[in-house]
Each structure stands twice: as structure tokens, then as C-alpha cells.
Amino acid sequence: MRYAVFLRNVNLGRPNCPTRGQFEAAFLDAGAHTASSFLTNGTLVYEPAAGRSAQAVYEAACEALRGVCGLKEPGFVRTVAYLSEVVATAPFAGVDPHDVYACCVSFLSSPDVVPPPLPMASARRDVELVQVTPGEVLSVCRMVGNSPGSPNAFLEKLLGSPLSTRNWNTVVRLVARFA
């Protein structure tokens, strides 16, 4: 089974962030059979080797990355099959892409983090929540003035918990490539 990990606040090669090689090597050394970095935003798809759990591989890889580059940010693991199911629901089908800056998905840290009720939007209306799953919040962000809304900042403040946000197209492309 393939898993995707979404590390929070990571851009490969920047300070306290791994390079692509370090990122993939950390997962392979931690017991992944395969590991493929996807884009430069801290997204990686991996398959645990026989007898290794996805969580054990993730935890060992994060520990290695702390030592290699000082990475302290959390990650959020989902199966690629699950992501494929979420993509199949077409949560943004009714959204006109010309009316928004971006469609986004924010990954919650644990089942203990209760997603917010809908409908909900930020005070500036630059972030609007579209759909909630047990582990994700899907949203649109809009330009207000010269800056787009930040679903990650809005939701972290609202929920009091770290999370990681990706452009929806990143998940769609990941599923198309790895599912």
C-alpha cells in the first residue's frame, strides 16, 4: 500500500528543510521499500517494506531528518487510496476557478482535532470552508486587497492545532500519478 506524507512548512533545500535526496533517503533508511518526493513542498509518497508499518517508517524518517537538517515540523500521513476517494468526491466541482485564488486541502493532525462546522469563513472572507472530512478541511481562498487568504493560518488559529495545507491540484496530481 502506498502512503503520502505532507510535511508542514517545508520547502526542500531551504534552511531546516531537507534536500530531495535527504528526504527520500530518510524514508528509505527508515524502512520504506520506495520513496518518491513529489514537488518541493514536503510531499512524499512511500511504500513501507514488508513487516514495517507506515507510521513506524514515518516516525523513524522524521527522527533522521531532525538529525540531518534540524526539521521540527510535523507531517500528516494518508493512504493514496484514501486520497483517491476524496478526489473522487469532486469537492470543488461547483467552484468557478475564476472566482477564487486557490482551492486547498488542509490535513488535520489527529482524529482528536474536531473539524469546524460549516458554513464558515474568515472575518475578511478571504478563506471559505467548503467541505469537512474527519481528517481534512477543504477550502477556497480569495484575494482581498493584495494578498490571498491563508487557510493554514486561519485553521491553525481556529483549531489550536498544527496542520498542513496543499493546493488541491497537488493532491489531484499525486493521485493521478500514484493511485
Side-chain angles (χ1 to χ4, degrees):
M1 181 173 288
R2 288 183 173 160
Y3 294 83
V5 62
F6 303 91
L7 293 180
R8 180 183 179 279
N9 200 27
V10 167
N11 285 307
L12 299 183
R14 299 260 174 115
N16 296 321
C17 296
T19 64
R20 181 180 304 274
Q22 290 170 329
F23 194 25
E24 292 174 348
F27 277 80
L28 293 169
D29 293 345
H33 173 67
T34 63
S36 180
S37 177
F38 187 72
L39 304 177
T40 61
N41 61 7
T43 302
L44 178 132
V45 174
Y46 68 101
E47 290 180 72
R52 297 283 293 170
S53 75
Q55 188 64 28
V57 169
Y58 161 73
E59 289 172 4
C62 286
E63 184 63 32
L65 290 169
R66 275 189 280 285
V68 168
C69 64
L71 180 73
K72 297 178 183 169
E73 298 291 348
F76 307 85
V77 178
R78 304 292 187 272
T79 68
V80 172
Y82 170 76
L83 294 172
S84 183
E85 292 172 9
V86 176
V87 167
T89 69
F92 299 103
V95 174
D96 182 349
H98 298 98
D99 289 342
V100 299
Y101 179 79
C103 296
C104 299
V105 56
S106 300
F107 298 96
L108 302 174
S109 60
S110 79
D112 298 334
V113 177
V114 179
L118 298 180
M120 181 173 286
S122 64
R124 291 182 49 194
R125 309 225 29 98
D126 56 353
V127 175
E128 180 183 346
L129 307 186
V130 174
Q131 183 178 340
V132 172
T133 72
E136 297 81 30
V137 178
L138 296 108
S139 61
V140 295
C141 59
R142 294 183 171 82
M143 290 290 286
V144 173
N146 292 328
S147 63
S150 172
N152 209 78
F154 173 66
L155 288 166
E156 283 188 338
K157 184 176 180 182
L158 179 72
L159 300 173
S161 176
L163 45 94
S164 191
T165 298
R166 296 295 187 276
N167 187 297
W168 180 244
N169 286 333
T170 297
V171 176
V172 171
R173 289 171 50 209
L174 183 147
V175 166
R177 181 171 170 191
F178 293 101

